Amino acid sequence: MKYKLVYIKWEDAFHQEPCQWENNKGIKAFIEDTDFIVESVGWIVHEDKRMITISPMRSLRLNSWSHLQRIPIGTIIKKRGLKI
């Protein structure tokens, strides 16, 4: 099976740090925060209508993968195939 190498830009989930009470100004700042935009590169090992699973590391000798990452399809901002 041939695996596709991809670049994915996506929105990660995050929570308030530290947990505390917020007023409307604090809530607005939390909502507008874009520090959770993530860029990932890896081979697609599985993809369906809900998730894409990629791995940035693979062993050809062992036919195995490491550092698996599941990304919900709805969080993907950009996805582009890469050539090596």
Side-chain angles (χ1 to χ4, degrees):
M1 177 178 203
K2 184 171 170 127
Y3 296 93
K4 294 180 184 175
L5 184 62
V6 293
Y7 159 86
I8 300 174
K9 183 176 185 178
W10 56 288
E11 296 180 86
D12 196 2
F14 71 105
H15 64 88
Q16 176 192 37
E17 187 63 43
C19 289
Q20 60 194 19
W21 290 98
E22 288 289 357
N23 59 23
N24 287 340
K25 184 178 178 182
I27 292 170
K28 185 175 189 289
F30 179 79
I31 290 168
E32 293 174 352
D33 185 358
T34 58
D35 284 345
F36 55 92
I37 303 298
V38 179
E39 296 176 298
S40 299
V41 174
W43 283 273
I44 298 173
V45 296
H46 179 80
E47 185 172 12
D48 60 32
K49 63 183 179 179
R50 291 181 31 237
M51 295 279 177
I52 183 169
T53 302
I54 64 172
S55 171
M57 300 174 65
R58 70 181 190 171
S59 168
L60 297 175
R61 184 177 65 85
L62 299 174
N63 191 30
S64 50
W65 303 90
S66 184
H67 295 76
L68 293 171
Q69 184 175 30
R70 287 182 5 170
I71 302 169
I73 295 294
T75 66
I76 295 174
I77 298 167
K78 183 177 186 179
K79 178 178 146 191
R80 184 177 76 212
L82 301 174
K83 293 187 178 191
I84 54 171

